């Protein structure tokens, strides 16, 4: 228990982390951007402070009197008009915030990294020690998370008491945005998920990810990284889509394979069109290359050291489907 600062508290994972921190008896201060929708935190007893990862001048005030910090805020987008925006927010913003945390003598920091910050092991599972090898498909987002992870880890030697957590692809209720995982479910519910493609993902219940943050604060070793995934929920894309369709009661899901070369050609065209229109494409060439990888991750370290739950992914998907239906998304 203590006073904690949570950045990204209104996000999909951050919302669950905030709830669990309050349940654990923490006094929560949530850093939100000016004008940001605070409704995801409605009914929660939190103190709000305005801040933006592009404006480092607000960090000292946000950290005043804080004992612990969960840093989840980040820019997650497959495309931006400013190609340097991911670096400015995810790397420079994170570095400045962490340096301010050192000055503020914060007792412990849990930094939300990403499985994109480690390498991919084709035919096997990756873990915290897998060297980064994603250069061919490293989008601005992936590069920014990889660099930010190294920056945070490097600052540990300067006195930053940080533990890094690397979430997999979270499913579950409360996906307001929705995130890419939520968008996948919505496409199934809308009858728009006939296509499937090669590749695989490490799925996980968003509540397990949030619990992993709380456990990392309690038990995580300083300077160590923990993959917040579900070892038994590594799934090929076709199998995942079929599971969603089966749970949702939707037929005709994942019935047509889309060849990788066709997906990549279409992605190139989408990127070209975005340069003409200035509007974000549905995907990019590098994002498509990443999707086509078999990105399976082993959660053994987090399970062994932290006690990370391994809840059935079927329940997370069912809860997500019910939440979308109950909240008027379909």
């Amino acid at each position: 228990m203590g006073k904690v600062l949570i950045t990204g508290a209104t996000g999909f994972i951050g919302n669950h982390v905030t709830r669990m921190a309050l349940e654990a008896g923490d006094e929560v201060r949530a850093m939100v951007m000016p004008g940001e929708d605070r409704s995801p935190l409605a009914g929660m007893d939190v103190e709000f402070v305005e801040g933006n990862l592009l404006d480092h001048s607000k960090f000292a005030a946000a950290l005043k009197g804080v004992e612990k910090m969960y840093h989840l805020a980040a820019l997650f987008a497959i495309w931006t008009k400013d190609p340097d925006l991911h670096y400015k927010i995810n790397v420079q913003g994170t570095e400045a915030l962490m340096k301010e945390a050192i000055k503020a003598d914060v007792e412990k920091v849990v930094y939300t990294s990403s499985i994109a910050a480690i390498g991919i092991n084709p035919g096997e599972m990756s873990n915290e020690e897998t060297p980064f090898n994603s250069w061919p498909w490293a989008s601005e987002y992936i590069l920014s998370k990889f660099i930010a992870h190294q920056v945070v880890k490097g600052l540990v030697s300067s006195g930053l008491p940080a533990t890094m957590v690397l979430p997999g692809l979270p499913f579950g209720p409360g996906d307001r945005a929705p995130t890419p995982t939520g968008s996948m479910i919505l496409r199934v519910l809308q009858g728009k998920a006939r296509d499937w493609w090669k590749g695989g993902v490490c799925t996980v219940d968003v509540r397990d990810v949030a619990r992993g943050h709380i456990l990392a604060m309690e038990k995580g070793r300083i300077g160590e990284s923990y993959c917040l995934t579900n070892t038994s929920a590594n799934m090929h894309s076709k199998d995942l889509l079929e599971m969603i369709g089966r749970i949702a009661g939707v037929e005709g899901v994942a019935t047509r394979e889309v060849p990788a070369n066709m997906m990549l050609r279409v992605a190139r065209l989408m990127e070209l069109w975005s340069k003409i229109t200035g509007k974000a494409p549905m995907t990019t060439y590098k994002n498509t290359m990443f999707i086509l990888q078999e990105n399976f991750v082993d959660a053994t370290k987090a399970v062994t050291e932290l006690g990370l739950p391994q809840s059935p992914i079927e329940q997370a998907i069912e809860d997500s489907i019910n939440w979308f239906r109950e909240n008027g998304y379909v």
Side-chain angles (χ1 to χ4, degrees):
M1 294 186 291
K3 187 156 190 174
V4 302
L5 174 67
I6 302 180
T7 74
T10 61
F12 184 31
I13 298 174
N15 181 267
H16 289 278
V17 172
T18 302
R19 190 179 304 277
M20 290 183 184
L22 289 168
E23 290 172 354
D26 286 326
E27 183 182 348
V28 175
R29 176 183 292 166
M31 189 173 87
V32 297
M33 293 188 296
E36 182 178 353
D37 179 14
R38 303 181 183 186
S39 63
L41 302 177
M44 297 190 201
D45 184 16
V46 301
E47 172 195 356
F48 290 101
V49 59
E50 291 191 346
N52 188 320
L53 290 176
L54 289 170
D55 182 1
H56 306 170
S57 66
K58 301 292 179 65
F59 295 164
L63 284 162
K64 188 176 182 180
V66 165
E67 297 169 48
K68 300 177 290 185
M69 176 172 69
Y70 295 95
H71 178 39
L72 294 97
L75 172 62
F76 177 63
I78 62 169
W79 181 90
T80 57
K81 290 183 179 180
D82 178 2
D84 294 330
L85 197 56
H86 278 99
Y87 182 80
K88 293 173 183 175
I89 293 174
N90 296 347
V91 179
Q92 292 180 329
T94 292
E95 181 178 20
L97 181 62
M98 294 301 166
K99 287 181 175 178
E100 202 62 52
I102 295 174
K103 292 180 184 178
D105 199 24
V106 172
E107 295 174 9
K108 182 77 177 284
V109 172
V110 172
Y111 167 64
T112 308
S113 182
S114 167
I115 55 161
I118 58 174
I120 291 177
N121 233 343
E124 300 179 23
M125 289 188 290
S126 301
N127 60 34
E128 295 82 358
E129 304 304 319
T130 304
F132 183 81
N133 61 356
S134 298
W135 306 109
W137 49 82
S139 63
E140 284 82 3
Y141 169 75
I142 291 175
L143 280 176
S144 71
K145 294 303 286 186
F146 167 66
I147 297 170
H149 186 103
Q150 305 310 313
V151 167
V152 173
K153 189 173 183 178
L155 284 172
V156 171
S157 63
S158 298
L160 180 69
T163 296
M164 289 75 73
V165 293
L166 296 76
L169 293 182
F171 286 85
D175 191 357
R176 291 170 175 80
T179 63
T181 53
S183 296
M184 181 183 293
I185 287 181
L186 286 175
R187 287 186 65 81
V188 171
L189 297 179
Q190 294 163 353
K192 299 177 180 178
R194 288 182 59 199
D195 297 339
W196 66 275
W197 50 91
K198 291 182 179 178
V201 294
C202 50
T203 65
V204 62
D205 191 315
V206 68
R207 293 158 294 196
D208 287 357
V209 173
R211 180 60 62 193
H213 280 71
I214 304 299
L215 291 167
M217 184 66 78
E218 296 174 357
K219 305 177 183 179
R221 289 183 286 147
I222 302 302
E224 291 293 319
S225 301
Y226 298 91
C227 292
L228 304 185
T229 61
N230 186 328
T231 303
S232 64
N234 290 301
M235 303 182 68
H236 288 100
S237 300
K238 185 176 191 296
D239 296 332
L240 174 58
L241 286 165
E242 288 177 340
M243 176 186 285
I244 296 171
R246 184 169 61 253
I247 294 173
V250 176
E251 297 181 353
V253 176
T255 58
R256 180 178 61 193
E257 180 181 4
V258 181
N261 57 0
M262 180 184 293
M263 292 177 66
L264 291 169
R265 285 199 301 270
V266 171
R268 286 282 196 202
L269 291 172
M270 286 182 173
E271 280 196 74
L272 178 60
W273 185 244
S274 71
K275 291 179 181 178
I276 297 171
T277 63
K279 296 180 180 179
M282 185 179 298
T283 187
T284 64
Y285 186 82
K286 287 187 175 180
N287 183 63
T288 302
M289 284 188 71
F290 180 66
I291 289 171
L292 291 167
Q293 306 307 309
E294 192 175 272
N295 193 5
F296 294 161
V297 180
D298 183 3
T300 297
K301 182 179 179 181
V303 172
T304 302
E305 293 193 20
L306 305 181
L308 177 71
Q310 300 283 273
S311 303
I313 195 62
E314 293 87 349
Q315 188 62 58
I317 289 173
E318 181 178 346
D319 291 346
S320 179
I321 290 168
N322 290 338
W323 188 86
F324 280 128
R325 285 173 168 165
E326 291 167 2
N327 286 274
Y329 282 77
V330 287

